[in-house]
Amino acid sequence: MWYDYRFRAYPDRTGVTAEAERHIDIHRQAYNHTRYEYNTLDINEDNIGSAYQHQKRLTEWKTEWPVFSEVHSKALQKTVERFYDNLSTLSEKKQNGHKVGWLKWKSPREYQSMTYSQSGFELKNTSGRHATLWLSKIGDIPIRYHREIPDNATIKEVTLKKEVTGEWHVTFGLEVEDATLPEKSDVDNLDAEDCVGIDLGITNYIYTSDGDSVDWLSLTGEYDRLRREQRNLSRKEHGSNNWEKQRREVAKVKRRIKREVEDFQHKLTTWLVKTYDGVFVEDLNVTGMLQSDGNARNKQDAAWRGFIEMLEYKGDLYGTHVVQVNPAGTTKECAECGVETEKPLWVREHSCPSCGFEADRDANASYNVLSRGLQELGLGQAEVTPVETATAVGTDGAGSSSVPASRVVKTGSLGA
């Protein structure tokens, strides 16, 4: 499996900031030239059309423009690959019915990172809270080594990036052999009571089939500040020094919001995969939800796709089964008898006209997610029926556990 570790970097401490910025700009020129050749050359005659083919042209580039010889060869290959990865992403969106344009020429402001792949880097001096990253043709870059690279992980890629805020970060792409990961419980021996269904809700961030719910992370203060900073930015002359300074202030607020959301998600997903042997979640069409009318900003804050991806890779790290299920009808379908009942968003209770089963709307959805997850694993229904669970919890929420997001952030779990 593959996952990333990110660290704060300080190239200014060793005086290599200017050199790092120069290398990034050379890679920007290489990216733009890849785009230019893709648009103008003959795919059948000029070694273009795929990253592998286009990389064969790099020797010719270096002869004609010696500046391309000043950066590491593997990093230059990765820049060509970056263009084709972006092209592939664009093509996938188009196939899925989205309206897409074309890959644009990158200005210096838009291109602020480069990636070393396979070679040209070394992580050293890792005995303390600080370490050193050596990059070929650039030099040593101190990093804040706040967590160690796992012993069973191999660093395959290193990405150096300058943020809009002016800060630098290093991201290590880590590869872990599946044989070194914790072994997941055998599906045949999996106890349904050690599994949980999760409804990604509207009134709560998540609602579990065990009756636990976690409130939304409050970001009101951060968004108030963001609006103030954006208003200040709109009053500056575009492109001026004051505008650039204010643009960084806006970026700092956005960074804070992103970090708070990611920290919340990391702690919540870690708790889930360490608590349960099986975690089942809806495979949501997040893009479609954001395009629909309604509470789009909250959906973006929820970053549910990122939440699901965290669950999946942490499931591998902790030996937990994580299964995405079809979300269609989880809210409408009765968890007891399967009859579907239309419910507008303002209706927060499920009351089945067929069998009389009553539960909180999100609780009913979480029972359906649990059932579908068990069926995906071939385990059938849970031994504890939704009716029994609903009776214990009560439709008024008595017996359920509603946890404020602040407790998750503070303790890293739903515990006190």
Side-chain angles (χ1 to χ4, degrees), residues 183-411:
E183 191 172 343
K184 296 182 180 180
S185 304
D186 188 272
V187 172
D188 295 332
N189 297 327
L190 196 63
D191 191 336
E193 292 188 5
D194 292 328
C195 299
V196 68
I198 298 175
D199 175 61
L200 304 176
I202 295 174
T203 58
N204 305 107
Y205 190 79
I206 66 167
Y207 198 110
T208 76
S209 56
D210 280 350
D212 295 318
S213 63
V214 180
D215 293 339
W216 286 78
L217 187 65
S218 177
L219 297 170
T220 303
E222 285 79 359
Y223 272 109
D224 287 343
R225 182 184 172 190
L226 178 60
R227 281 191 291 269
R228 290 196 300 270
E229 299 293 357
Q230 287 177 327
R231 281 197 299 269
N232 289 338
L233 179 64
S234 67
R235 299 185 183 117
K236 310 296 183 185
E237 182 181 352
H238 190 278
S240 66
N241 289 336
N242 285 336
W243 180 87
E244 183 62 32
K245 182 179 179 180
Q246 185 60 31
R247 187 173 76 97
R248 291 190 176 187
E249 292 301 315
V250 171
K252 288 178 182 179
V253 181
K254 290 182 177 180
R255 178 194 61 191
R256 179 177 176 83
I257 292 172
K258 181 180 179 182
R259 285 180 177 177
E260 288 193 25
V261 171
E262 288 181 346
D263 178 66
F264 172 66
Q265 290 179 325
H266 273 296
K267 289 173 178 175
L268 186 55
T269 52
T270 298
W271 177 81
L272 286 166
V273 298
K274 291 175 72 174
T275 303
Y276 297 97
D277 292 331
V279 179
F280 310 133
V281 65
E282 297 165 296
D283 181 13
L284 295 178
N285 176 16
V286 178
T287 302
M289 293 171 67
L290 291 177
Q291 291 175 343
S292 64
D293 294 334
N295 204 2
R297 194 186 78 183
N298 280 345
K299 293 170 187 172
Q300 287 176 312
D301 289 342
W304 281 325
R305 177 48 54 189
F307 176 82
I308 294 170
E309 289 174 355
M310 283 185 190
L311 270 178
E312 288 187 318
Y313 90 77
K314 288 186 180 181
D316 290 334
L317 287 178
Y318 288 92
T320 301
H321 294 276
V322 176
V323 178
Q324 294 186 52
V325 304
N326 182 2
T330 53
T331 300
K332 301 176 183 178
E333 184 179 305
C334 177
E336 172 63 14
C337 68
V339 171
E340 290 194 2
T341 305
E342 291 291 336
K343 303 184 192 77
L345 286 177
W346 55 268
V347 175
R348 303 313 307 163
E349 301 295 331
H350 169 79
S351 181
C352 181
S354 178
C355 69
F357 172 64
E358 295 183 351
D360 179 90
R361 175 195 182 109
D362 294 336
N364 178 73
S366 69
Y367 304 146
N368 285 324
V369 172
L370 174 62
S371 295
R372 294 182 186 187
L374 293 172
Q375 290 169 12
E376 284 281 337
L377 295 179
L379 297 177
Q381 297 287 339
E383 292 184 8
V384 180
T385 66
V387 169
E388 292 170 333
T389 308
T391 302
V393 173
T395 57
D396 61 352
S400 64
S401 173
S402 181
V403 179
S406 58
R407 187 190 299 177
V408 175
V409 172
K410 184 177 180 180
T411 67

Side-chain angles (χ1 to χ4, degrees), residues 41 45 63-64 111 116 119 122 163 167 174 252 322 356:
L41 299 183
E45 296 182 3
T63 301
E64 188 167 356
Y111 198 100
Y116 283 66
S119 65
E122 180 185 358
E163 305 288 352
E167 296 178 349
L174 306 179
K252 288 178 182 179
V322 176

